Amino acid sequence: MSESNSKCPISFTVVSPHGTIATASNPELHTRQDINDKQLNQNERLLISSVFPFQRSFPSEPPIEYNRLRAEQPIYRVALMNGDQVWLITRFGDVCLVLGDDEHFSKVQNHSNFSKQSYQDIIDTDEEHASLLNMDPTKHIIYREIIENELSIDRIKEYEPRMKNIVDDLLNELINQNPPIDFVSQFAIKVPSFIIYDLLGINKIDHEFLISRNRINNKLDEAQTANKELLDYINRLIANKKQTPGSDIISRLIIEQLRPGRINEKELVSIILLLLQGANEPIKNLICLGIISLLQNHEQLDQLRENLSSIDAVVEEILRYHTGLSFITHRLTMKDVKINGQIIKTGETLFALNASANRDEQVFTDSDRFDIFRPPQHHLSFGYGTHQCIAMHLVRAQLKTVFIIIFQRLPNLKLARSIDDIQFINDHNKDIGVQKMLVTW
Ligand code: HEM
């Protein structure tokens, strides 16, 4: 039995007795701060749900259970919908510990006892199209190097002027319509999609088709059909690019990796699929949630408008506060290990909850408050360790570009209706996000 020993910026040891948790739905409560102030103080206490993912008290906030678990049961055993038992890791230090430890924890989901959280995992674990998200060293290191270069900080810096043009054009299209306009379908979803299509060298006439394929994700059979159509499309795209390569990621992968035999065609398809599918939803959601948080915090928004150079801090706070992707950081235990006093046995699955870690009050003062002025502090929105998001420079650049352009060009942007009319993603099995929000200016 060994204690996990990977390097971790912070670690904690407190363990308290079992506890109960407050949860209630109330549309007037808009932030976790409101929920905490108004509900926890009223002592409306229910038992912690025994099924994960937990319901969200307000659709734009992580489940309130995370707060109580961090304080009282930081390593918590819970069932998934299919009955599988998994461990939840909720504190910042412990989440780092798990994500930074490739010796005890695996990301290969094809292991028979890796508990599946959703059908998305079934698609990801398709043997033929194994993705980076489903690999351990050494295969993982080789694959990661192939893509890393394409999304490096220097490449993204070079690409920024082109990114700015894409965002400007999309904003022109938005402004040319009569408000109120649905910000999600008319702008936020198009930004990350058009940018990744451009990077991959995909012709403009195919953009709408690809957006429609990526949006189908409600039912397993529809998702599988959409996935198959996407695969067929990618195969045709590769065939075309082999004939007439351009100066884009796919062409470079064909010339530098496929032709010399460093990867085979199936591996190339997997890489393209991952880049296409990873891009859209979380960035769209962060653009919308970021706008909402800034509109809700007028003083902070006013200061940002006066001093756009604080944009880096704003983007980091949006990432911390809303996290973006909160279910993909799960792992299978490969060797017995003890975390924060709890033994996790070989073969057990755990979720290292970055959305909970990002609200850890031991690390972030007043952690449930959206505050663009908080001191710089590493957050876990992009994960940690060898699987840390490969596209983080791209994501940061996009968010920066979008917020600067919007607040320069549309200083009067506001919600057209009340915040209660925003259609948030209300399915607690999915990440926090926005489906529809009407804006005007
Ligand atoms: C707001 C947007 C995004 C967020 C919050 C995000 C978050 C994450 C997180 C938390 C991980 C770590 C997973 C783990 O440890 O198990 C990850 C990995 C990854 N992300 Fe992102 N991601 C975002 C956008 C993207 C985009 C746009 C792409 C591709 C174009 C992408 C590609 C990847 C890849 C390939 C990995 C796996 C890296 C590896 O295993 O080495 N992500 N991402």
Side-chain angles (χ1 to χ4, degrees), residues 99 107 132-135 140 144 147 151 196 274-276 278-280 282-283 286 319 323-325 328-331 354 380-384 386-391 394-395 398-399:
L99 298 183
K107 220 172 144 45
L132 254 189
L133 283 168
N134 179 17
M135 280 177 197
H140 171 258
R144 190 169 165 114
I147 319 176
L151 299 170
I196 196 71
L274 184 64
L275 294 176
L276 272 178
N280 307 340
I283 304 182
L286 286 175
L319 281 161
T323 300
L325 278 173
I328 62 169
T329 45
H330 53 330
R331 299 287 188 270
N354 57 344
L380 298 181
S381 299
F382 293 124
Y384 179 76
T386 51
H387 287 279
Q388 191 174 37
C389 183
I390 204 162
L394 174 66
V395 175
Q398 282 191 53
L399 294 176

mmCIF file of all heavy atoms in Angstrom, residues 99 107 132-135 140 144 147 151 196 274-276 278-280 282-283 286 319 323-325 328-331 354 380-384 386-391 394-395 398-399, ligand 1:
data_model
loop_
_atom_site.group_PDB
_atom_site.id
_atom_site.type_symbol
_atom_site.label_atom_id
_atom_site.label_comp_id
_atom_site.label_asym_id
_atom_site.label_seq_id
_atom_site.Cartn_x
_atom_site.Cartn_y
_atom_site.Cartn_z
ATOM 1 N N LEU A 99 -4.516 14.044 -10.295
ATOM 2 C CA LEU A 99 -4.255 14.346 -11.706
ATOM 3 C C LEU A 99 -2.752 14.341 -12.018
ATOM 4 O O LEU A 99 -2.353 14.133 -13.166
ATOM 5 C CB LEU A 99 -4.872 15.696 -12.094
ATOM 6 C CG LEU A 99 -6.402 15.784 -11.962
ATOM 7 C CD1 LEU A 99 -6.904 17.140 -12.442
ATOM 8 C CD2 LEU A 99 -7.090 14.667 -12.735
ATOM 9 N N LYS A 107 -5.897 6.684 -17.293
ATOM 10 C CA LYS A 107 -6.981 7.332 -18.018
ATOM 11 C C LYS A 107 -7.540 6.424 -19.120
ATOM 12 O O LYS A 107 -8.418 6.800 -19.865
ATOM 13 C CB LYS A 107 -6.435 8.636 -18.619
ATOM 14 C CG LYS A 107 -7.455 9.731 -18.505
ATOM 15 C CD LYS A 107 -6.996 11.075 -18.869
ATOM 16 C CE LYS A 107 -8.097 11.851 -19.547
ATOM 17 N NZ LYS A 107 -9.406 11.771 -18.933
ATOM 18 N N LEU A 132 -6.429 10.916 -27.237
ATOM 19 C CA LEU A 132 -5.494 11.343 -26.187
ATOM 20 C C LEU A 132 -6.128 11.298 -24.808
ATOM 21 O O LEU A 132 -5.460 11.071 -23.805
ATOM 22 C CB LEU A 132 -5.129 12.806 -26.452
ATOM 23 C CG LEU A 132 -3.768 13.140 -27.005
ATOM 24 C CD1 LEU A 132 -3.576 14.626 -26.956
ATOM 25 C CD2 LEU A 132 -2.666 12.459 -26.202
ATOM 26 N N LEU A 133 -7.444 11.551 -24.796
ATOM 27 C CA LEU A 133 -8.151 11.589 -23.520
ATOM 28 C C LEU A 133 -8.287 10.207 -22.905
ATOM 29 O O LEU A 133 -8.830 10.048 -21.834
ATOM 30 C CB LEU A 133 -9.559 12.175 -23.732
ATOM 31 C CG LEU A 133 -9.606 13.681 -23.892
ATOM 32 C CD1 LEU A 133 -10.974 14.126 -24.387
ATOM 33 C CD2 LEU A 133 -9.280 14.370 -22.568
ATOM 34 N N ASN A 134 -7.833 9.203 -23.632
ATOM 35 C CA ASN A 134 -8.057 7.828 -23.239
ATOM 36 C C ASN A 134 -6.749 7.027 -23.354
ATOM 37 O O ASN A 134 -6.721 5.936 -23.870
ATOM 38 C CB ASN A 134 -9.149 7.281 -24.196
ATOM 39 C CG ASN A 134 -9.504 5.842 -23.946
ATOM 40 O OD1 ASN A 134 -9.194 5.295 -22.898
ATOM 41 N ND2 ASN A 134 -10.133 5.230 -24.919
ATOM 42 N N MET A 135 -5.652 7.649 -22.905
ATOM 43 C CA MET A 135 -4.335 7.006 -23.053
ATOM 44 C C MET A 135 -3.463 7.262 -21.829
ATOM 45 O O MET A 135 -3.606 8.288 -21.186
ATOM 46 C CB MET A 135 -3.565 7.632 -24.225
ATOM 47 C CG MET A 135 -3.933 7.153 -25.563
ATOM 48 S SD MET A 135 -2.962 8.081 -26.758
ATOM 49 C CE MET A 135 -3.894 7.729 -28.215
ATOM 50 N N HIS A 140 0.667 7.934 -24.723
ATOM 51 C CA HIS A 140 0.129 9.273 -24.542
ATOM 52 C C HIS A 140 1.155 10.351 -24.873
ATOM 53 O O HIS A 140 0.855 11.326 -25.542
ATOM 54 C CB HIS A 140 -0.371 9.427 -23.093
ATOM 55 C CG HIS A 140 -0.754 10.820 -22.746
ATOM 56 N ND1 HIS A 140 0.043 11.658 -22.018
ATOM 57 C CD2 HIS A 140 -1.832 11.553 -23.085
ATOM 58 C CE1 HIS A 140 -0.536 12.829 -21.898
ATOM 59 N NE2 HIS A 140 -1.674 12.801 -22.534
ATOM 60 N N ARG A 144 0.706 13.070 -27.730
ATOM 61 C CA ARG A 144 0.574 14.457 -27.278
ATOM 62 C C ARG A 144 1.570 15.349 -28.033
ATOM 63 O O ARG A 144 1.236 16.445 -28.445
ATOM 64 C CB ARG A 144 0.776 14.533 -25.766
ATOM 65 C CG ARG A 144 0.399 15.903 -25.229
ATOM 66 C CD ARG A 144 0.327 15.968 -23.727
ATOM 67 N NE ARG A 144 0.315 17.370 -23.358
ATOM 68 C CZ ARG A 144 -0.683 18.010 -22.782
ATOM 69 N NH1 ARG A 144 -1.790 17.381 -22.484
ATOM 70 N NH2 ARG A 144 -0.596 19.291 -22.496
ATOM 71 N N ILE A 147 0.459 16.732 -31.459
ATOM 72 C CA ILE A 147 -0.499 17.851 -31.536
ATOM 73 C C ILE A 147 0.016 19.094 -30.824
ATOM 74 O O ILE A 147 -0.303 20.219 -31.214
ATOM 75 C CB ILE A 147 -1.852 17.470 -30.898
ATOM 76 C CG1 ILE A 147 -2.238 16.052 -31.280
ATOM 77 C CG2 ILE A 147 -2.935 18.448 -31.326
ATOM 78 C CD1 ILE A 147 -3.497 15.582 -30.624
ATOM 79 N N LEU A 151 -0.543 23.604 -31.223
ATOM 80 C CA LEU A 151 -1.322 24.479 -30.343
ATOM 81 C C LEU A 151 -0.417 25.180 -29.324
ATOM 82 O O LEU A 151 -0.874 25.605 -28.264
ATOM 83 C CB LEU A 151 -2.402 23.656 -29.620
ATOM 84 C CG LEU A 151 -3.416 22.975 -30.556
ATOM 85 C CD1 LEU A 151 -4.283 21.993 -29.798
ATOM 86 C CD2 LEU A 151 -4.291 23.993 -31.263
ATOM 87 N N ILE A 196 -11.641 26.733 -34.935
ATOM 88 C CA ILE A 196 -10.974 25.422 -35.093
ATOM 89 C C ILE A 196 -11.097 24.954 -36.544
ATOM 90 O O ILE A 196 -10.167 24.357 -37.091
ATOM 91 C CB ILE A 196 -11.489 24.354 -34.069
ATOM 92 C CG1 ILE A 196 -10.539 23.161 -33.986
ATOM 93 C CG2 ILE A 196 -12.867 23.857 -34.391
ATOM 94 C CD1 ILE A 196 -9.241 23.419 -33.315
ATOM 95 N N LEU A 274 -10.869 14.619 -32.289
ATOM 96 C CA LEU A 274 -10.692 15.200 -30.960
ATOM 97 C C LEU A 274 -10.639 16.724 -31.043
ATOM 98 O O LEU A 274 -11.275 17.425 -30.247
ATOM 99 C CB LEU A 274 -9.401 14.658 -30.340
ATOM 100 C CG LEU A 274 -9.109 15.095 -28.915
ATOM 101 C CD1 LEU A 274 -10.173 14.561 -27.981
ATOM 102 C CD2 LEU A 274 -7.750 14.578 -28.474
ATOM 103 N N LEU A 275 -9.908 17.238 -32.012
ATOM 104 C CA LEU A 275 -9.794 18.697 -32.147
ATOM 105 C C LEU A 275 -11.151 19.307 -32.514
ATOM 106 O O LEU A 275 -11.539 20.358 -32.000
ATOM 107 C CB LEU A 275 -8.741 19.063 -33.196
ATOM 108 C CG LEU A 275 -7.299 18.686 -32.835
ATOM 109 C CD1 LEU A 275 -6.346 18.998 -33.965
ATOM 110 C CD2 LEU A 275 -6.839 19.382 -31.564
ATOM 111 N N LEU A 276 -11.878 18.609 -33.374
ATOM 112 C CA LEU A 276 -13.181 19.134 -33.791
ATOM 113 C C LEU A 276 -14.186 19.097 -32.654
ATOM 114 O O LEU A 276 -14.955 20.024 -32.457
ATOM 115 C CB LEU A 276 -13.744 18.270 -34.929
ATOM 116 C CG LEU A 276 -13.359 18.628 -36.350
ATOM 117 C CD1 LEU A 276 -13.969 17.624 -37.312
ATOM 118 C CD2 LEU A 276 -13.843 20.023 -36.696
ATOM 119 N N GLY A 278 -13.604 18.645 -29.274
ATOM 120 C CA GLY A 278 -13.248 19.238 -27.981
ATOM 121 C C GLY A 278 -13.550 20.720 -27.935
ATOM 122 O O GLY A 278 -13.717 21.306 -26.879
ATOM 123 N N ALA A 279 -13.640 21.313 -29.127
ATOM 124 C CA ALA A 279 -13.569 22.761 -29.194
ATOM 125 C C ALA A 279 -14.801 23.527 -28.766
ATOM 126 O O ALA A 279 -14.704 24.516 -28.057
ATOM 127 C CB ALA A 279 -13.210 23.150 -30.620
ATOM 128 N N ASN A 280 -15.948 23.082 -29.212
ATOM 129 C CA ASN A 280 -17.063 24.030 -29.279
ATOM 130 C C ASN A 280 -17.798 24.304 -27.979
ATOM 131 O O ASN A 280 -17.913 25.464 -27.554
ATOM 132 C CB ASN A 280 -18.044 23.551 -30.343
ATOM 133 C CG ASN A 280 -17.318 23.318 -31.657
ATOM 134 O OD1 ASN A 280 -16.231 23.854 -31.861
ATOM 135 N ND2 ASN A 280 -17.871 22.506 -32.524
ATOM 136 N N PRO A 282 -17.465 23.757 -24.545
ATOM 137 C CA PRO A 282 -16.980 24.454 -23.352
ATOM 138 C C PRO A 282 -16.621 25.913 -23.610
ATOM 139 O O PRO A 282 -16.839 26.767 -22.748
ATOM 140 C CB PRO A 282 -15.749 23.651 -22.931
ATOM 141 C CG PRO A 282 -15.367 22.831 -24.105
ATOM 142 C CD PRO A 282 -16.609 22.606 -24.892
ATOM 143 N N ILE A 283 -16.112 26.214 -24.796
ATOM 144 C CA ILE A 283 -15.744 27.617 -25.053
ATOM 145 C C ILE A 283 -17.019 28.456 -25.206
ATOM 146 O O ILE A 283 -17.127 29.548 -24.641
ATOM 147 C CB ILE A 283 -14.829 27.751 -26.283
ATOM 148 C CG1 ILE A 283 -13.594 26.882 -26.091
ATOM 149 C CG2 ILE A 283 -14.429 29.208 -26.498
ATOM 150 C CD1 ILE A 283 -12.583 26.948 -27.216
ATOM 151 N N LEU A 286 -18.318 29.130 -21.809
ATOM 152 C CA LEU A 286 -17.544 30.112 -21.038
ATOM 153 C C LEU A 286 -17.741 31.532 -21.574
ATOM 154 O O LEU A 286 -17.735 32.497 -20.808
ATOM 155 C CB LEU A 286 -16.069 29.738 -21.001
ATOM 156 C CG LEU A 286 -15.740 28.552 -20.088
ATOM 157 C CD1 LEU A 286 -14.276 28.175 -20.206
ATOM 158 C CD2 LEU A 286 -16.065 28.858 -18.630
ATOM 159 N N LEU A 319 -12.617 31.417 -16.060
ATOM 160 C CA LEU A 319 -12.252 29.994 -16.106
ATOM 161 C C LEU A 319 -12.383 29.351 -14.731
ATOM 162 O O LEU A 319 -12.923 28.262 -14.586
ATOM 163 C CB LEU A 319 -10.812 29.849 -16.609
ATOM 164 C CG LEU A 319 -10.609 29.972 -18.117
ATOM 165 C CD1 LEU A 319 -9.154 30.265 -18.452
ATOM 166 C CD2 LEU A 319 -11.052 28.685 -18.828
ATOM 167 N N THR A 323 -15.353 26.911 -14.581
ATOM 168 C CA THR A 323 -14.622 25.653 -14.869
ATOM 169 C C THR A 323 -14.735 25.145 -16.315
ATOM 170 O O THR A 323 -13.747 24.780 -16.903
ATOM 171 C CB THR A 323 -14.991 24.531 -13.868
ATOM 172 O OG1 THR A 323 -14.630 24.994 -12.563
ATOM 173 C CG2 THR A 323 -14.240 23.245 -14.143
ATOM 174 N N GLY A 324 -15.901 25.099 -16.908
ATOM 175 C CA GLY A 324 -15.995 24.705 -18.324
ATOM 176 C C GLY A 324 -16.207 23.218 -18.532
ATOM 177 O O GLY A 324 -17.260 22.791 -18.983
ATOM 178 N N LEU A 325 -15.197 22.418 -18.227
ATOM 179 C CA LEU A 325 -15.334 20.957 -18.362
ATOM 180 C C LEU A 325 -15.078 20.336 -16.994
ATOM 181 O O LEU A 325 -13.979 20.443 -16.473
ATOM 182 C CB LEU A 325 -14.307 20.414 -19.357
ATOM 183 C CG LEU A 325 -14.656 20.526 -20.838
ATOM 184 C CD1 LEU A 325 -13.466 20.104 -21.700
ATOM 185 C CD2 LEU A 325 -15.858 19.678 -21.199
ATOM 186 N N ILE A 328 -14.532 15.371 -17.096
ATOM 187 C CA ILE A 328 -13.587 14.524 -17.845
ATOM 188 C C ILE A 328 -12.373 14.093 -17.018
ATOM 189 O O ILE A 328 -11.610 13.250 -17.446
ATOM 190 C CB ILE A 328 -13.118 15.167 -19.171
ATOM 191 C CG1 ILE A 328 -12.356 16.471 -18.948
ATOM 192 C CG2 ILE A 328 -14.249 15.377 -20.117
ATOM 193 C CD1 ILE A 328 -11.665 16.936 -20.231
ATOM 194 N N THR A 329 -12.229 14.679 -15.839
ATOM 195 C CA THR A 329 -11.042 14.349 -15.045
ATOM 196 C C THR A 329 -11.315 13.135 -14.140
ATOM 197 O O THR A 329 -11.232 13.213 -12.928
ATOM 198 C CB THR A 329 -10.623 15.567 -14.195
ATOM 199 O OG1 THR A 329 -11.794 16.108 -13.600
ATOM 200 C CG2 THR A 329 -9.959 16.625 -15.035
ATOM 201 N N HIS A 330 -11.671 12.014 -14.782
ATOM 202 C CA HIS A 330 -11.846 10.790 -13.995
ATOM 203 C C HIS A 330 -10.717 9.810 -14.290
ATOM 204 O O HIS A 330 -10.102 9.866 -15.351
ATOM 205 C CB HIS A 330 -13.230 10.168 -14.183
ATOM 206 C CG HIS A 330 -13.627 9.925 -15.603
ATOM 207 N ND1 HIS A 330 -13.198 10.689 -16.646
ATOM 208 C CD2 HIS A 330 -14.422 8.987 -16.141
ATOM 209 C CE1 HIS A 330 -13.719 10.243 -17.770
ATOM 210 N NE2 HIS A 330 -14.461 9.218 -17.497
ATOM 211 N N ARG A 331 -10.457 8.965 -13.346
ATOM 212 C CA ARG A 331 -9.301 8.066 -13.444
ATOM 213 C C ARG A 331 -9.652 6.696 -12.869
ATOM 214 O O ARG A 331 -10.530 6.580 -12.008
ATOM 215 C CB ARG A 331 -8.117 8.616 -12.618
ATOM 216 C CG ARG A 331 -7.593 9.991 -13.044
ATOM 217 C CD ARG A 331 -6.823 9.924 -14.347
ATOM 218 N NE ARG A 331 -6.148 11.175 -14.676
ATOM 219 C CZ ARG A 331 -6.673 12.164 -15.379
ATOM 220 N NH1 ARG A 331 -7.918 12.083 -15.811
ATOM 221 N NH2 ARG A 331 -5.971 13.246 -15.662
ATOM 222 N N ASN A 354 -12.548 19.013 -10.633
ATOM 223 C CA ASN A 354 -11.893 20.321 -10.765
ATOM 224 C C ASN A 354 -12.866 21.472 -10.481
ATOM 225 O O ASN A 354 -12.457 22.520 -9.991
ATOM 226 C CB ASN A 354 -11.209 20.467 -12.132
ATOM 227 C CG ASN A 354 -12.134 20.272 -13.312
ATOM 228 O OD1 ASN A 354 -13.220 19.744 -13.160
ATOM 229 N ND2 ASN A 354 -11.695 20.681 -14.485
ATOM 230 N N LEU A 380 -7.861 24.949 -11.718
ATOM 231 C CA LEU A 380 -7.762 23.621 -12.328
ATOM 232 C C LEU A 380 -8.737 23.431 -13.501
ATOM 233 O O LEU A 380 -9.101 22.304 -13.837
ATOM 234 C CB LEU A 380 -7.977 22.538 -11.264
ATOM 235 C CG LEU A 380 -6.936 22.529 -10.135
ATOM 236 C CD1 LEU A 380 -7.202 21.408 -9.143
ATOM 237 C CD2 LEU A 380 -5.511 22.399 -10.694
ATOM 238 N N SER A 381 -9.131 24.514 -14.111
ATOM 239 C CA SER A 381 -10.082 24.405 -15.237
ATOM 240 C C SER A 381 -9.491 23.626 -16.398
ATOM 241 O O SER A 381 -10.223 22.998 -17.161
ATOM 242 C CB SER A 381 -10.499 25.788 -15.711
ATOM 243 O OG SER A 381 -11.127 26.423 -14.646
ATOM 244 N N PHE A 382 -8.179 23.681 -16.567
ATOM 245 C CA PHE A 382 -7.545 22.920 -17.646
ATOM 246 C C PHE A 382 -6.932 21.627 -17.115
ATOM 247 O O PHE A 382 -6.115 20.989 -17.800
ATOM 248 C CB PHE A 382 -6.454 23.763 -18.320
ATOM 249 C CG PHE A 382 -7.004 24.945 -19.076
ATOM 250 C CD1 PHE A 382 -6.577 26.244 -18.796
ATOM 251 C CD2 PHE A 382 -7.957 24.769 -20.071
ATOM 252 C CE1 PHE A 382 -7.089 27.327 -19.497
ATOM 253 C CE2 PHE A 382 -8.477 25.846 -20.772
ATOM 254 C CZ PHE A 382 -8.046 27.132 -20.496
ATOM 255 N N GLY A 383 -7.290 21.237 -15.914
ATOM 256 C CA GLY A 383 -6.726 20.035 -15.323
ATOM 257 C C GLY A 383 -5.329 20.320 -14.784
ATOM 258 O O GLY A 383 -4.951 21.478 -14.545
ATOM 259 N N TYR A 384 -4.565 19.251 -14.610
ATOM 260 C CA TYR A 384 -3.239 19.364 -13.998
ATOM 261 C C TYR A 384 -2.456 18.120 -14.384
ATOM 262 O O TYR A 384 -3.030 17.048 -14.558
ATOM 263 C CB TYR A 384 -3.413 19.456 -12.469
ATOM 264 C CG TYR A 384 -2.135 19.565 -11.681
ATOM 265 C CD1 TYR A 384 -1.443 20.761 -11.626
ATOM 266 C CD2 TYR A 384 -1.634 18.464 -10.990
ATOM 267 C CE1 TYR A 384 -0.265 20.861 -10.907
ATOM 268 C CE2 TYR A 384 -0.460 18.563 -10.255
ATOM 269 C CZ TYR A 384 0.226 19.767 -10.225
ATOM 270 O OH TYR A 384 1.392 19.859 -9.512
ATOM 271 N N THR A 386 0.094 15.548 -16.640
ATOM 272 C CA THR A 386 0.421 15.205 -18.033
ATOM 273 C C THR A 386 -0.777 15.336 -18.975
ATOM 274 O O THR A 386 -0.590 15.457 -20.176
ATOM 275 C CB THR A 386 0.966 13.763 -18.153
ATOM 276 O OG1 THR A 386 0.039 12.911 -17.491
ATOM 277 C CG2 THR A 386 2.327 13.609 -17.550
ATOM 278 N N HIS A 387 -1.989 15.288 -18.447
ATOM 279 C CA HIS A 387 -3.170 15.411 -19.317
ATOM 280 C C HIS A 387 -3.718 16.824 -19.357
ATOM 281 O O HIS A 387 -4.802 17.043 -19.912
ATOM 282 C CB HIS A 387 -4.272 14.445 -18.861
ATOM 283 C CG HIS A 387 -3.972 13.014 -19.179
ATOM 284 N ND1 HIS A 387 -4.179 12.466 -20.424
ATOM 285 C CD2 HIS A 387 -3.444 12.022 -18.412
ATOM 286 C CE1 HIS A 387 -3.817 11.203 -20.420
ATOM 287 N NE2 HIS A 387 -3.369 10.904 -19.206
ATOM 288 N N GLN A 388 -2.998 17.767 -18.769
ATOM 289 C CA GLN A 388 -3.502 19.148 -18.758
ATOM 290 C C GLN A 388 -3.874 19.573 -20.178
ATOM 291 O O GLN A 388 -3.177 19.227 -21.140
ATOM 292 C CB GLN A 388 -2.436 20.095 -18.200
ATOM 293 C CG GLN A 388 -2.998 21.478 -17.920
ATOM 294 C CD GLN A 388 -1.985 22.374 -17.234
ATOM 295 O OE1 GLN A 388 -0.801 22.310 -17.546
ATOM 296 N NE2 GLN A 388 -2.448 23.195 -16.322
ATOM 297 N N CYS A 389 -4.956 20.327 -20.280
ATOM 298 C CA CYS A 389 -5.533 20.648 -21.599
ATOM 299 C C CYS A 389 -4.474 21.129 -22.586
ATOM 300 O O CYS A 389 -3.763 22.101 -22.344
ATOM 301 C CB CYS A 389 -6.619 21.698 -21.458
ATOM 302 S SG CYS A 389 -7.388 22.051 -23.048
ATOM 303 N N ILE A 390 -4.453 20.456 -23.703
ATOM 304 C CA ILE A 390 -3.458 20.749 -24.724
ATOM 305 C C ILE A 390 -3.795 22.050 -25.453
ATOM 306 O O ILE A 390 -2.941 22.659 -26.090
ATOM 307 C CB ILE A 390 -3.390 19.548 -25.689
ATOM 308 C CG1 ILE A 390 -2.072 19.475 -26.393
ATOM 309 C CG2 ILE A 390 -4.525 19.565 -26.686
ATOM 310 C CD1 ILE A 390 -1.799 18.133 -27.005
ATOM 311 N N ALA A 391 -5.063 22.472 -25.339
ATOM 312 C CA ALA A 391 -5.525 23.646 -26.099
ATOM 313 C C ALA A 391 -5.665 24.882 -25.218
ATOM 314 O O ALA A 391 -6.339 25.835 -25.597
ATOM 315 C CB ALA A 391 -6.858 23.316 -26.761
ATOM 316 N N LEU A 394 -4.941 28.226 -26.811
ATOM 317 C CA LEU A 394 -5.980 28.561 -27.788
ATOM 318 C C LEU A 394 -7.237 29.072 -27.076
ATOM 319 O O LEU A 394 -7.836 30.074 -27.476
ATOM 320 C CB LEU A 394 -6.318 27.307 -28.621
ATOM 321 C CG LEU A 394 -7.474 27.426 -29.596
ATOM 322 C CD1 LEU A 394 -7.150 28.399 -30.713
ATOM 323 C CD2 LEU A 394 -7.829 26.061 -30.204
ATOM 324 N N VAL A 395 -7.625 28.392 -26.017
ATOM 325 C CA VAL A 395 -8.849 28.772 -25.294
ATOM 326 C C VAL A 395 -8.681 30.168 -24.685
ATOM 327 O O VAL A 395 -9.546 31.035 -24.833
ATOM 328 C CB VAL A 395 -9.176 27.740 -24.192
ATOM 329 C CG1 VAL A 395 -10.361 28.196 -23.358
ATOM 330 C CG2 VAL A 395 -9.445 26.371 -24.795
ATOM 331 N N GLN A 398 -8.801 32.845 -27.321
ATOM 332 C CA GLN A 398 -10.159 33.071 -27.838
ATOM 333 C C GLN A 398 -10.994 33.888 -26.871
ATOM 334 O O GLN A 398 -11.690 34.824 -27.253
ATOM 335 C CB GLN A 398 -10.882 31.743 -28.048
ATOM 336 C CG GLN A 398 -10.460 31.036 -29.274
ATOM 337 C CD GLN A 398 -11.376 29.852 -29.595
ATOM 338 O OE1 GLN A 398 -12.583 29.994 -29.668
ATOM 339 N NE2 GLN A 398 -10.791 28.699 -29.799
ATOM 340 N N LEU A 399 -10.933 33.513 -25.598
ATOM 341 C CA LEU A 399 -11.756 34.227 -24.614
ATOM 342 C C LEU A 399 -11.318 35.687 -24.534
ATOM 343 O O LEU A 399 -12.142 36.605 -24.512
ATOM 344 C CB LEU A 399 -11.682 33.544 -23.242
ATOM 345 C CG LEU A 399 -12.290 32.133 -23.173
ATOM 346 C CD1 LEU A 399 -12.069 31.521 -21.795
ATOM 347 C CD2 LEU A 399 -13.778 32.137 -23.493
HETATM 348 C C1 HEM B 1 -13.003 26.017 -22.330
HETATM 349 C C2 HEM B 1 -12.448 25.080 -23.008
HETATM 350 C C3 HEM B 1 -11.720 23.892 -22.474
HETATM 351 C C4 HEM B 1 -11.595 23.423 -21.198
HETATM 352 C C5 HEM B 1 -12.177 24.032 -19.919
HETATM 353 C C6 HEM B 1 -10.789 22.233 -21.266
HETATM 354 C C7 HEM B 1 -10.445 21.465 -20.180
HETATM 355 C C8 HEM B 1 -9.663 20.334 -20.242
HETATM 356 C C9 HEM B 1 -9.299 19.529 -19.110
HETATM 357 C C10 HEM B 1 -9.769 19.748 -17.681
HETATM 358 C C11 HEM B 1 -8.482 18.545 -19.556
HETATM 359 C C12 HEM B 1 -7.808 17.473 -18.686
HETATM 360 C C13 HEM B 1 -8.478 16.141 -18.765
HETATM 361 C C14 HEM B 1 -7.927 15.147 -17.771
HETATM 362 O O1 HEM B 1 -7.051 15.442 -16.956
HETATM 363 O O2 HEM B 1 -8.430 14.026 -17.750
HETATM 364 C C15 HEM B 1 -8.342 18.710 -20.976
HETATM 365 C C16 HEM B 1 -7.596 17.904 -21.781
HETATM 366 C C17 HEM B 1 -7.584 18.031 -23.134
HETATM 367 N N1 HEM B 1 -8.152 19.015 -23.894
HETATM 368 FE FE1 HEM B 1 -9.189 20.591 -23.226
HETATM 369 N N2 HEM B 1 -10.445 22.001 -22.569
HETATM 370 C C18 HEM B 1 -10.996 22.996 -23.330
HETATM 371 C C19 HEM B 1 -10.894 23.156 -24.691
HETATM 372 C C20 HEM B 1 -10.223 22.329 -25.501
HETATM 373 C C21 HEM B 1 -10.116 22.501 -26.907
HETATM 374 C C22 HEM B 1 -10.661 23.677 -27.673
HETATM 375 C C23 HEM B 1 -9.408 21.457 -27.374
HETATM 376 C C24 HEM B 1 -8.992 21.126 -28.755
HETATM 377 C C25 HEM B 1 -8.981 21.942 -29.763
HETATM 378 C C26 HEM B 1 -9.042 20.637 -26.240
HETATM 379 C C27 HEM B 1 -8.294 19.504 -26.299
HETATM 380 C C28 HEM B 1 -7.893 18.781 -25.202
HETATM 381 C C29 HEM B 1 -7.101 17.568 -25.306
HETATM 382 C C30 HEM B 1 -6.573 16.937 -26.569
HETATM 383 C C31 HEM B 1 -6.913 17.104 -24.009
HETATM 384 C C32 HEM B 1 -6.164 15.848 -23.585
HETATM 385 C C33 HEM B 1 -4.772 16.184 -23.303
HETATM 386 C C34 HEM B 1 -4.013 14.988 -22.823
HETATM 387 O O3 HEM B 1 -4.590 13.998 -22.384
HETATM 388 O O4 HEM B 1 -2.790 15.047 -22.886
HETATM 389 N N3 HEM B 1 -9.545 21.207 -25.110
HETATM 390 N N4 HEM B 1 -9.059 19.810 -21.379
#
